[in-house]
Amino acid sequence: MQAASPPPGGVVSQHTDLEGLVPLAGAAAAMSSFEDADTEETVTSLRVTIYHPGQMQNGIFQSIRFYNPEKLPSSEVVKFGRNSTICRYTFQDKQVSRVQFSLQLFKKFDSSVLSFEIKNMSRKTSLLVDSTELGYLNKVELPYRCMVRFGEYQLLVEKEDGESLEFFETLFIMSPRPLLQEHDWPAGKPTPEFCRSSLWCTQSTSLSASPREMDENEY
Amino acid sequence: MERPLTVLRMSLYHPTQGSAVFATVPQRLQHDTSPLLVGRGLDAHLQLHLPRLSRQHLSLEPYREKGSALLAFNLKALSRRGCVWVNGLVLRFLEQVPLSTINRVAFAGIQMVVHVEGGTSLEAFVCCFHVSPSPLIYRPQAEETDEWEDIPKEPPAPGSEPPVPGHLGFLYGPSSTADSSPQPSIGGGTEIQLQREPADGALC
């Protein structure tokens, strides 16, 4: 941390453990609280990569903030569906049930990390979790990586363990192409190469990609 | 034709005389298929008035087992400070266990017995409440229920000191399929005594 010149009349503290630097009183307080604060726990993170064949035309994902990590309390039942009053994450599609499915966390007895369960909340549509078919109110534990499907929606759900029991984090990514099979790019439309590595995802925000891929308001 | 609702018959007990703990508990409560929240908070579906309780202490979550036409229930502990004792298991924050037909539950000094009468409706379920003037959960020797009549009753395993009030040991017969979590068995014979006492020896 660079020492700034002290303000006129300001108090300067002698903070010798900063290798001879003499920070401002305010900066010293901030530094002290940073150093003394509890070690931050890592959080369980859930990365959801979504695809729907009509995603470019129909605005179904317009209320989902992609690439926006969101921290949620671990006791929350996270609902996905059409009804924005009930659901945390909404698909703007009349064919989606008011509540399509829900995710909830729990802790296994012999584990120090959190696990997820997914429950089908749709009376109309089955929920496929890899090859397991869930009917209404059926639920199953989510493996670390799985494909969730209902109707034409495809969601690749990936979980990374964290220490915290209080919170978890969600991150949504929209895939430009189907998750289950290889398709050619639509002709004439420049889109970035899709890569599932988390390294790419962290770099993507700093890439000077065309605004098209990042701007969900376009849909 | 409407399908019959699943009924949870819930008996409640707390040692304080003329207890205000259950002041706002209705006789009957119909609930949809979202989790039923039990706690001190105003947003709890079953609100109990006890400072020791967390605002959200536990939830009863309806779900359906694959291939079953009936509603099943999952009890999840939601208290960070306290725990929930269920049929011999101690649940800590976010731990959960599926309910059996008859369930003995204890938390924050409250005793609750939940009897699940399955119905085929998947839209809602009903809770019927009864406040008991006397304790619901007894020492194993004194316990008599229809479910366990054929199981010989043994005294608690040596060395397990039952705390007061009311030891919450619960003996499972070998035919019990309700509880699938791997708990260590104490004592010998065909009895499986499933107990996880909290570290401080106190009940949940």
Side-chain angles (χ1 to χ4, degrees), chain A residues 73-75 77 79 104-111 114 117 119 121 123 132-139 165-166, chain B residues 33 35 56 61-67 71 74 76 78 80 89-91 93-97 122-123 181 183 196:
Chain A
S74 54
S75 52
V77 177
K79 300 178 202 65
Q104 54 206 23
L105 284 109
F106 71 104
K107 194 178 85 65
K108 293 189 200 170
F109 291 112
D110 53 359
S111 174
L114 297 175
E117 281 174 324
K119 187 155 92 176
M121 298 300 290
R123 291 163 181 76
T132 303
E133 187 173 342
L134 301 180
Y136 178 55
L137 297 185
N138 290 155
K139 63 175 183 173
L165 297 183
E166 301 294 323
Chain B
T33 52
Q56 288 192 358
E61 175 225 347
Y63 71 103
R64 205 162 59 92
E65 293 281 4
K66 201 84 172 90
L71 272 190
N74 205 37
K76 181 187 275 179
L78 295 176
R80 288 162 180 79
L89 286 177
V90 173
L91 304 184
F93 182 54
L94 296 183
E95 291 176 344
Q96 61 185 20
V97 77
L122 300 181
E123 309 306 313
S181 44
Q183 292 295 310
R196 256 172 74 192

Short mmCIF file of all heavy atoms in Angstrom, two decimals, chain A residues 73-75 77 79 104-111 114 117 119 121 123 132-139 165-166, chain B residues 33 35 56 61-67 71 74 76 78 80 89-91 93-97 122-123 181 183 196:
data_model
loop_
_atom_site.label_atom_id
_atom_site.label_comp_id
_atom_site.label_asym_id
_atom_site.label_seq_id
_atom_site.Cartn_x
_atom_site.Cartn_y
_atom_site.Cartn_z
N PRO A 73 -28.73 -16.82 0.56
CA PRO A 73 -28.63 -17.57 1.82
C PRO A 73 -28.88 -19.06 1.58
O PRO A 73 -29.69 -19.44 0.74
CB PRO A 73 -29.77 -16.98 2.67
CG PRO A 73 -30.69 -16.33 1.70
CD PRO A 73 -29.91 -15.95 0.49
N SER A 74 -28.17 -19.88 2.34
CA SER A 74 -28.23 -21.32 2.10
C SER A 74 -29.57 -21.93 2.46
O SER A 74 -29.89 -23.03 2.05
CB SER A 74 -27.12 -22.02 2.89
OG SER A 74 -27.21 -21.65 4.25
N SER A 75 -30.39 -21.21 3.23
CA SER A 75 -31.69 -21.77 3.59
C SER A 75 -32.75 -21.48 2.53
O SER A 75 -33.87 -21.96 2.64
CB SER A 75 -32.14 -21.20 4.93
OG SER A 75 -32.07 -19.79 4.89
N VAL A 77 -35.04 -21.65 -0.70
CA VAL A 77 -35.47 -22.59 -1.74
C VAL A 77 -35.51 -21.78 -3.03
O VAL A 77 -36.31 -20.85 -3.16
CB VAL A 77 -36.86 -23.17 -1.42
CG1 VAL A 77 -37.33 -24.08 -2.56
CG2 VAL A 77 -36.82 -23.94 -0.11
N LYS A 79 -36.40 -20.97 -6.58
CA LYS A 79 -37.38 -21.42 -7.55
C LYS A 79 -37.09 -20.82 -8.92
O LYS A 79 -36.70 -19.66 -9.06
CB LYS A 79 -38.79 -21.04 -7.09
CG LYS A 79 -39.16 -21.65 -5.74
CD LYS A 79 -40.53 -21.22 -5.31
CE LYS A 79 -40.72 -21.33 -3.81
NZ LYS A 79 -39.87 -20.45 -3.01
N GLN A 104 -32.71 -26.66 -3.62
CA GLN A 104 -32.54 -26.36 -2.21
C GLN A 104 -31.29 -27.05 -1.70
O GLN A 104 -30.90 -28.10 -2.20
CB GLN A 104 -33.77 -26.83 -1.42
CG GLN A 104 -34.12 -28.27 -1.62
CD GLN A 104 -35.60 -28.54 -1.38
OE1 GLN A 104 -36.44 -27.66 -1.47
NE2 GLN A 104 -35.93 -29.78 -1.06
N LEU A 105 -30.67 -26.39 -0.71
CA LEU A 105 -29.43 -26.93 -0.16
C LEU A 105 -29.71 -27.74 1.08
O LEU A 105 -30.66 -27.50 1.82
CB LEU A 105 -28.47 -25.80 0.18
CG LEU A 105 -27.80 -25.20 -1.02
CD1 LEU A 105 -28.34 -23.83 -1.26
CD2 LEU A 105 -26.30 -25.13 -0.83
N PHE A 106 -28.85 -28.67 1.33
CA PHE A 106 -28.88 -29.40 2.59
C PHE A 106 -27.48 -29.87 2.88
O PHE A 106 -26.58 -29.77 2.03
CB PHE A 106 -29.86 -30.57 2.53
CG PHE A 106 -29.42 -31.72 1.67
CD1 PHE A 106 -28.93 -32.88 2.24
CD2 PHE A 106 -29.51 -31.65 0.28
CE1 PHE A 106 -28.52 -33.95 1.46
CE2 PHE A 106 -29.11 -32.71 -0.52
CZ PHE A 106 -28.61 -33.86 0.07
N LYS A 107 -27.30 -30.35 4.10
CA LYS A 107 -25.98 -30.86 4.47
C LYS A 107 -26.13 -32.32 4.85
O LYS A 107 -26.98 -32.68 5.66
CB LYS A 107 -25.39 -30.06 5.63
CG LYS A 107 -23.90 -30.31 5.83
CD LYS A 107 -23.34 -29.46 6.95
CE LYS A 107 -23.54 -30.11 8.29
NZ LYS A 107 -22.79 -31.37 8.42
N LYS A 108 -25.30 -33.14 4.26
CA LYS A 108 -25.33 -34.56 4.64
C LYS A 108 -24.65 -34.72 5.99
O LYS A 108 -23.77 -33.94 6.37
CB LYS A 108 -24.57 -35.39 3.60
CG LYS A 108 -25.24 -35.41 2.26
CD LYS A 108 -24.55 -36.42 1.38
CE LYS A 108 -24.85 -36.14 -0.06
NZ LYS A 108 -24.02 -36.91 -0.96
N PHE A 109 -25.04 -35.76 6.71
CA PHE A 109 -24.53 -35.97 8.06
C PHE A 109 -23.01 -36.11 8.10
O PHE A 109 -22.37 -35.66 9.01
CB PHE A 109 -25.17 -37.21 8.69
CG PHE A 109 -26.64 -37.03 8.98
CD1 PHE A 109 -27.58 -37.74 8.28
CD2 PHE A 109 -27.06 -36.14 9.96
CE1 PHE A 109 -28.93 -37.57 8.53
CE2 PHE A 109 -28.40 -35.96 10.23
CZ PHE A 109 -29.35 -36.67 9.52
N ASP A 110 -22.47 -36.77 7.13
CA ASP A 110 -21.03 -37.05 7.20
C ASP A 110 -20.22 -36.08 6.34
O ASP A 110 -19.12 -36.40 5.92
CB ASP A 110 -20.77 -38.49 6.74
CG ASP A 110 -21.40 -38.77 5.37
OD1 ASP A 110 -22.04 -37.86 4.81
OD2 ASP A 110 -21.26 -39.89 4.86
N SER A 111 -20.78 -34.94 6.08
CA SER A 111 -20.10 -34.01 5.18
C SER A 111 -19.97 -32.64 5.80
O SER A 111 -20.77 -32.26 6.66
CB SER A 111 -20.90 -33.91 3.87
OG SER A 111 -20.35 -32.93 3.04
N LEU A 114 -21.99 -28.38 1.46
CA LEU A 114 -23.40 -28.36 1.13
C LEU A 114 -23.69 -29.16 -0.13
O LEU A 114 -22.87 -29.23 -1.04
CB LEU A 114 -23.88 -26.92 0.93
CG LEU A 114 -23.78 -26.01 2.16
CD1 LEU A 114 -24.15 -24.58 1.79
CD2 LEU A 114 -24.66 -26.53 3.27
N GLU A 117 -30.39 -30.31 -3.84
CA GLU A 117 -31.46 -31.17 -4.37
C GLU A 117 -32.23 -30.36 -5.40
O GLU A 117 -32.43 -29.15 -5.21
CB GLU A 117 -32.46 -31.54 -3.26
CG GLU A 117 -32.00 -32.64 -2.35
CD GLU A 117 -32.98 -32.86 -1.21
OE1 GLU A 117 -33.57 -31.87 -0.70
OE2 GLU A 117 -33.13 -34.01 -0.81
N LYS A 119 -35.93 -30.28 -7.41
CA LYS A 119 -37.28 -30.85 -7.30
C LYS A 119 -38.14 -30.31 -8.44
O LYS A 119 -38.16 -29.11 -8.71
CB LYS A 119 -37.89 -30.43 -5.96
CG LYS A 119 -39.21 -31.10 -5.66
CD LYS A 119 -39.46 -31.16 -4.17
CE LYS A 119 -40.24 -29.98 -3.68
NZ LYS A 119 -40.57 -30.10 -2.24
N MET A 121 -41.32 -28.99 -9.92
CA MET A 121 -42.52 -28.36 -9.38
C MET A 121 -43.60 -28.20 -10.46
O MET A 121 -44.59 -27.50 -10.26
CB MET A 121 -42.15 -26.97 -8.80
CG MET A 121 -41.18 -27.02 -7.65
SD MET A 121 -41.80 -27.96 -6.23
CE MET A 121 -43.10 -26.87 -5.65
N ARG A 123 -46.56 -29.72 -12.82
CA ARG A 123 -47.48 -30.84 -12.96
C ARG A 123 -47.49 -31.34 -14.40
O ARG A 123 -47.80 -32.49 -14.67
CB ARG A 123 -48.91 -30.40 -12.60
CG ARG A 123 -49.12 -30.09 -11.12
CD ARG A 123 -50.39 -29.29 -10.92
NE ARG A 123 -50.66 -28.94 -9.55
CZ ARG A 123 -50.03 -27.98 -8.86
NH1 ARG A 123 -49.08 -27.28 -9.43
NH2 ARG A 123 -50.34 -27.73 -7.61
N THR A 132 -32.22 -39.35 -15.38
CA THR A 132 -33.29 -39.59 -14.40
C THR A 132 -34.47 -38.67 -14.70
O THR A 132 -34.29 -37.46 -14.83
CB THR A 132 -32.77 -39.30 -12.98
OG1 THR A 132 -31.63 -40.11 -12.73
CG2 THR A 132 -33.83 -39.58 -11.93
N GLU A 133 -35.65 -39.28 -14.77
CA GLU A 133 -36.83 -38.47 -15.05
C GLU A 133 -37.59 -38.20 -13.76
O GLU A 133 -37.94 -39.13 -13.03
CB GLU A 133 -37.74 -39.21 -16.04
CG GLU A 133 -38.90 -38.35 -16.51
CD GLU A 133 -39.71 -39.02 -17.61
OE1 GLU A 133 -39.19 -39.97 -18.24
OE2 GLU A 133 -40.85 -38.58 -17.83
N LEU A 134 -37.83 -36.93 -13.48
CA LEU A 134 -38.55 -36.56 -12.26
C LEU A 134 -39.95 -36.10 -12.62
O LEU A 134 -40.13 -35.24 -13.47
CB LEU A 134 -37.82 -35.42 -11.54
CG LEU A 134 -36.39 -35.66 -11.09
CD1 LEU A 134 -35.84 -34.42 -10.39
CD2 LEU A 134 -36.28 -36.86 -10.17
N GLY A 135 -40.93 -36.71 -11.96
CA GLY A 135 -42.31 -36.24 -12.09
C GLY A 135 -42.58 -35.16 -11.06
O GLY A 135 -41.68 -34.74 -10.31
N TYR A 136 -43.80 -34.72 -10.99
CA TYR A 136 -44.18 -33.64 -10.08
C TYR A 136 -43.83 -33.99 -8.64
O TYR A 136 -44.19 -35.05 -8.13
CB TYR A 136 -45.68 -33.37 -10.23
CG TYR A 136 -46.22 -32.31 -9.31
CD1 TYR A 136 -45.67 -31.03 -9.29
CD2 TYR A 136 -47.31 -32.56 -8.49
CE1 TYR A 136 -46.18 -30.05 -8.45
CE2 TYR A 136 -47.83 -31.59 -7.66
CZ TYR A 136 -47.27 -30.34 -7.64
OH TYR A 136 -47.77 -29.37 -6.81
N LEU A 137 -43.09 -33.11 -8.00
CA LEU A 137 -42.64 -33.22 -6.61
C LEU A 137 -41.58 -34.29 -6.37
O LEU A 137 -41.16 -34.49 -5.22
CB LEU A 137 -43.81 -33.43 -5.65
CG LEU A 137 -44.83 -32.30 -5.58
CD1 LEU A 137 -45.88 -32.58 -4.51
CD2 LEU A 137 -44.16 -30.96 -5.33
N ASN A 138 -41.15 -34.97 -7.44
CA ASN A 138 -40.00 -35.85 -7.27
C ASN A 138 -38.75 -34.99 -7.13
O ASN A 138 -38.67 -33.90 -7.73
CB ASN A 138 -39.81 -36.77 -8.48
CG ASN A 138 -40.88 -37.83 -8.60
OD1 ASN A 138 -41.13 -38.32 -9.71
ND2 ASN A 138 -41.50 -38.23 -7.50
N LYS A 139 -37.79 -35.46 -6.38
CA LYS A 139 -36.55 -34.72 -6.25
C LYS A 139 -35.36 -35.67 -6.24
O LYS A 139 -35.51 -36.86 -5.99
CB LYS A 139 -36.55 -33.84 -5.01
CG LYS A 139 -36.63 -34.60 -3.70
CD LYS A 139 -36.51 -33.63 -2.53
CE LYS A 139 -36.52 -34.41 -1.22
NZ LYS A 139 -36.24 -33.54 -0.06
N LEU A 165 -21.44 -22.43 5.26
CA LEU A 165 -22.76 -23.05 5.36
C LEU A 165 -23.85 -22.00 5.27
O LEU A 165 -25.03 -22.32 5.23
CB LEU A 165 -22.91 -23.82 6.68
CG LEU A 165 -21.97 -24.99 6.91
CD1 LEU A 165 -22.31 -25.67 8.24
CD2 LEU A 165 -22.06 -26.01 5.79
N GLU A 166 -23.45 -20.74 5.28
CA GLU A 166 -24.43 -19.65 5.35
C GLU A 166 -24.92 -19.21 3.97
O GLU A 166 -26.07 -18.82 3.81
CB GLU A 166 -23.79 -18.43 6.03
CG GLU A 166 -23.30 -18.70 7.43
CD GLU A 166 -24.45 -18.99 8.36
OE1 GLU A 166 -25.52 -18.37 8.22
OE2 GLU A 166 -24.29 -19.86 9.24
N THR B 33 -47.84 -27.12 -1.29
CA THR B 33 -46.70 -28.04 -1.36
C THR B 33 -45.35 -27.37 -1.13
O THR B 33 -44.31 -27.96 -1.38
CB THR B 33 -46.69 -28.76 -2.72
OG1 THR B 33 -46.77 -27.77 -3.75
CG2 THR B 33 -47.85 -29.72 -2.83
N PRO B 35 -42.49 -25.83 1.55
CA PRO B 35 -42.12 -26.28 2.90
C PRO B 35 -42.89 -25.54 3.99
O PRO B 35 -43.13 -24.33 3.89
CB PRO B 35 -40.63 -25.95 2.97
CG PRO B 35 -40.17 -25.93 1.56
CD PRO B 35 -41.31 -25.42 0.76
N GLN B 56 -36.66 -19.23 12.18
CA GLN B 56 -36.99 -20.41 11.37
C GLN B 56 -36.21 -21.55 12.01
O GLN B 56 -34.98 -21.59 11.90
CB GLN B 56 -36.54 -20.23 9.93
CG GLN B 56 -37.37 -19.23 9.16
CD GLN B 56 -37.07 -19.29 7.66
OE1 GLN B 56 -36.21 -20.03 7.20
NE2 GLN B 56 -37.78 -18.49 6.89
N GLU B 61 -40.90 -30.39 4.56
CA GLU B 61 -40.98 -30.19 3.12
C GLU B 61 -41.70 -31.36 2.46
O GLU B 61 -41.25 -32.51 2.57
CB GLU B 61 -39.56 -30.08 2.55
CG GLU B 61 -39.48 -29.99 1.03
CD GLU B 61 -38.40 -30.88 0.43
OE1 GLU B 61 -37.54 -31.39 1.19
OE2 GLU B 61 -38.44 -31.11 -0.79
N PRO B 62 -42.82 -31.09 1.79
CA PRO B 62 -43.50 -32.18 1.08
C PRO B 62 -42.78 -32.50 -0.23
O PRO B 62 -42.25 -31.62 -0.89
CB PRO B 62 -44.90 -31.61 0.79
CG PRO B 62 -44.85 -30.16 1.09
CD PRO B 62 -43.52 -29.81 1.63
N TYR B 63 -42.76 -33.78 -0.54
CA TYR B 63 -42.21 -34.19 -1.81
C TYR B 63 -42.80 -35.54 -2.13
O TYR B 63 -43.63 -36.05 -1.37
CB TYR B 63 -40.67 -34.25 -1.76
CG TYR B 63 -40.10 -35.39 -0.94
CD1 TYR B 63 -39.59 -36.54 -1.54
CD2 TYR B 63 -40.09 -35.32 0.46
CE1 TYR B 63 -39.09 -37.58 -0.79
CE2 TYR B 63 -39.59 -36.37 1.21
CZ TYR B 63 -39.08 -37.49 0.59
OH TYR B 63 -38.59 -38.52 1.34
N ARG B 64 -42.39 -36.08 -3.25
CA ARG B 64 -42.94 -37.39 -3.62
C ARG B 64 -41.79 -38.32 -3.95
O ARG B 64 -40.91 -37.97 -4.75
CB ARG B 64 -43.87 -37.21 -4.82
CG ARG B 64 -44.94 -38.25 -4.99
CD ARG B 64 -46.02 -37.70 -5.91
NE ARG B 64 -45.51 -37.34 -7.22
CZ ARG B 64 -45.48 -38.16 -8.28
NH1 ARG B 64 -45.89 -39.40 -8.15
NH2 ARG B 64 -45.01 -37.74 -9.44
N GLU B 65 -41.80 -39.50 -3.36
CA GLU B 65 -40.81 -40.52 -3.72
C GLU B 65 -41.16 -41.04 -5.11
O GLU B 65 -42.32 -41.11 -5.49
CB GLU B 65 -40.86 -41.69 -2.73
CG GLU B 65 -40.40 -41.34 -1.32
CD GLU B 65 -38.89 -41.28 -1.18
OE1 GLU B 65 -38.17 -41.44 -2.20
OE2 GLU B 65 -38.40 -41.08 -0.05
N LYS B 66 -40.12 -41.41 -5.84
CA LYS B 66 -40.32 -41.94 -7.19
C LYS B 66 -41.26 -43.16 -7.14
O LYS B 66 -41.03 -44.07 -6.32
CB LYS B 66 -38.96 -42.36 -7.74
CG LYS B 66 -38.90 -42.45 -9.24
CD LYS B 66 -38.63 -41.08 -9.89
CE LYS B 66 -38.37 -41.23 -11.37
NZ LYS B 66 -39.59 -41.13 -12.19
N GLY B 67 -42.29 -43.12 -7.94
CA GLY B 67 -43.19 -44.27 -7.99
C GLY B 67 -44.26 -44.26 -6.92
O GLY B 67 -45.16 -45.11 -6.92
N LEU B 71 -47.82 -38.19 -0.72
CA LEU B 71 -46.88 -37.17 -0.28
C LEU B 71 -45.98 -37.75 0.81
O LEU B 71 -46.45 -38.47 1.70
CB LEU B 71 -47.61 -35.97 0.31
CG LEU B 71 -48.07 -34.84 -0.61
CD1 LEU B 71 -48.56 -33.68 0.24
CD2 LEU B 71 -46.97 -34.39 -1.56
N ASN B 74 -40.01 -34.30 4.46
CA ASN B 74 -38.61 -34.19 4.83
C ASN B 74 -38.53 -33.16 5.95
O ASN B 74 -39.10 -32.08 5.80
CB ASN B 74 -37.87 -33.67 3.60
CG ASN B 74 -36.44 -34.06 3.59
OD1 ASN B 74 -36.08 -35.15 4.00
ND2 ASN B 74 -35.60 -33.16 3.14
N LYS B 76 -36.18 -30.67 7.92
CA LYS B 76 -34.86 -30.05 7.81
C LYS B 76 -34.67 -29.08 8.96
O LYS B 76 -35.56 -28.29 9.27
CB LYS B 76 -34.72 -29.32 6.47
CG LYS B 76 -33.36 -28.67 6.27
CD LYS B 76 -33.32 -27.81 5.01
CE LYS B 76 -33.01 -28.63 3.81
NZ LYS B 76 -32.99 -27.84 2.57
N LEU B 78 -33.28 -25.79 10.53
CA LEU B 78 -32.93 -24.48 9.98
C LEU B 78 -32.28 -23.56 11.01
O LEU B 78 -31.95 -22.42 10.69
CB LEU B 78 -34.19 -23.80 9.41
CG LEU B 78 -34.83 -24.50 8.22
CD1 LEU B 78 -36.12 -23.80 7.81
CD2 LEU B 78 -33.87 -24.56 7.03
N ARG B 80 -29.37 -22.18 13.29
CA ARG B 80 -27.91 -22.21 13.34
C ARG B 80 -27.42 -22.49 14.76
O ARG B 80 -26.38 -23.10 14.96
CB ARG B 80 -27.34 -20.85 12.88
CG ARG B 80 -27.47 -20.62 11.39
CD ARG B 80 -27.33 -19.14 11.07
NE ARG B 80 -27.43 -18.87 9.65
CZ ARG B 80 -28.58 -18.82 8.98
NH1 ARG B 80 -29.71 -19.00 9.60
NH2 ARG B 80 -28.59 -18.56 7.69
N LEU B 89 -32.15 -39.09 16.04
CA LEU B 89 -31.06 -38.41 15.34
C LEU B 89 -31.03 -36.95 15.74
O LEU B 89 -32.07 -36.33 15.89
CB LEU B 89 -31.32 -38.44 13.83
CG LEU B 89 -31.11 -39.72 13.08
CD1 LEU B 89 -31.49 -39.50 11.63
CD2 LEU B 89 -29.66 -40.14 13.15
N VAL B 90 -29.85 -36.40 15.85
CA VAL B 90 -29.72 -34.97 16.09
C VAL B 90 -29.39 -34.29 14.76
O VAL B 90 -28.40 -34.63 14.12
CB VAL B 90 -28.60 -34.68 17.13
CG1 VAL B 90 -28.37 -33.18 17.25
CG2 VAL B 90 -28.98 -35.26 18.46
N LEU B 91 -30.24 -33.38 14.38
CA LEU B 91 -30.01 -32.64 13.14
C LEU B 91 -29.46 -31.26 13.45
O LEU B 91 -30.02 -30.53 14.27
CB LEU B 91 -31.32 -32.46 12.36
CG LEU B 91 -32.13 -33.68 12.00
CD1 LEU B 91 -33.34 -33.29 11.16
CD2 LEU B 91 -31.29 -34.71 11.26
N PHE B 93 -27.81 -27.55 11.61
CA PHE B 93 -28.19 -26.63 10.54
C PHE B 93 -28.09 -27.26 9.14
O PHE B 93 -27.02 -27.73 8.76
CB PHE B 93 -27.34 -25.38 10.63
CG PHE B 93 -27.65 -24.31 9.60
CD1 PHE B 93 -28.94 -23.83 9.45
CD2 PHE B 93 -26.65 -23.80 8.80
CE1 PHE B 93 -29.22 -22.84 8.52
CE2 PHE B 93 -26.92 -22.81 7.87
CZ PHE B 93 -28.21 -22.33 7.73
N LEU B 94 -29.22 -27.27 8.46
CA LEU B 94 -29.38 -27.78 7.08
C LEU B 94 -29.34 -29.30 6.95
O LEU B 94 -29.43 -29.81 5.83
CB LEU B 94 -28.34 -27.16 6.13
CG LEU B 94 -28.45 -25.64 5.96
CD1 LEU B 94 -27.43 -25.15 4.95
CD2 LEU B 94 -29.85 -25.25 5.53
N GLU B 95 -29.22 -30.01 8.07
CA GLU B 95 -29.33 -31.46 7.98
C GLU B 95 -30.80 -31.85 7.92
O GLU B 95 -31.66 -31.12 8.44
CB GLU B 95 -28.60 -32.13 9.15
CG GLU B 95 -27.09 -31.93 9.05
CD GLU B 95 -26.32 -32.48 10.24
OE1 GLU B 95 -26.94 -32.74 11.30
OE2 GLU B 95 -25.09 -32.65 10.11
N GLN B 96 -31.08 -32.96 7.31
CA GLN B 96 -32.49 -33.31 7.11
C GLN B 96 -32.68 -34.81 7.16
O GLN B 96 -31.72 -35.57 7.01
CB GLN B 96 -32.97 -32.78 5.74
CG GLN B 96 -32.21 -33.37 4.56
CD GLN B 96 -32.63 -32.73 3.25
OE1 GLN B 96 -33.20 -31.62 3.21
NE2 GLN B 96 -32.38 -33.41 2.14
N VAL B 97 -33.93 -35.20 7.36
CA VAL B 97 -34.24 -36.61 7.45
C VAL B 97 -35.68 -36.81 6.96
O VAL B 97 -36.54 -35.96 7.21
CB VAL B 97 -34.02 -37.10 8.90
CG1 VAL B 97 -35.14 -36.69 9.81
CG2 VAL B 97 -33.80 -38.59 8.95
N LEU B 122 -51.84 -34.10 -4.31
CA LEU B 122 -50.51 -33.51 -4.44
C LEU B 122 -50.60 -31.98 -4.47
O LEU B 122 -49.65 -31.30 -4.84
CB LEU B 122 -49.83 -34.02 -5.71
CG LEU B 122 -49.63 -35.54 -5.78
CD1 LEU B 122 -48.94 -35.93 -7.07
CD2 LEU B 122 -48.83 -36.04 -4.59
N GLU B 123 -51.75 -31.46 -4.10
CA GLU B 123 -51.92 -30.01 -4.13
C GLU B 123 -51.67 -29.37 -2.78
O GLU B 123 -51.24 -28.23 -2.69
CB GLU B 123 -53.36 -29.67 -4.54
CG GLU B 123 -53.81 -30.37 -5.81
CD GLU B 123 -52.86 -30.12 -6.95
OE1 GLU B 123 -52.48 -28.95 -7.17
OE2 GLU B 123 -52.47 -31.10 -7.64
N SER B 181 -30.09 -42.84 7.36
CA SER B 181 -28.79 -42.23 7.59
C SER B 181 -27.91 -43.16 8.44
O SER B 181 -28.40 -43.85 9.32
CB SER B 181 -28.95 -40.87 8.26
OG SER B 181 -29.89 -40.96 9.29
N GLN B 183 -26.06 -44.19 11.22
CA GLN B 183 -25.74 -43.86 12.59
C GLN B 183 -25.09 -45.06 13.25
O GLN B 183 -25.49 -46.19 13.00
CB GLN B 183 -27.02 -43.48 13.34
CG GLN B 183 -27.63 -42.18 12.84
CD GLN B 183 -26.71 -41.01 13.12
OE1 GLN B 183 -26.23 -40.83 14.22
NE2 GLN B 183 -26.42 -40.21 12.11
N ARG B 196 -27.91 -39.85 18.67
CA ARG B 196 -26.74 -38.98 18.56
C ARG B 196 -26.97 -37.88 19.56
O ARG B 196 -27.71 -36.95 19.30
CB ARG B 196 -26.65 -38.39 17.15
CG ARG B 196 -25.60 -39.04 16.30
CD ARG B 196 -25.69 -38.55 14.90
NE ARG B 196 -25.20 -37.18 14.76
CZ ARG B 196 -25.38 -36.46 13.67
NH1 ARG B 196 -26.07 -36.95 12.68
NH2 ARG B 196 -24.91 -35.25 13.57
#
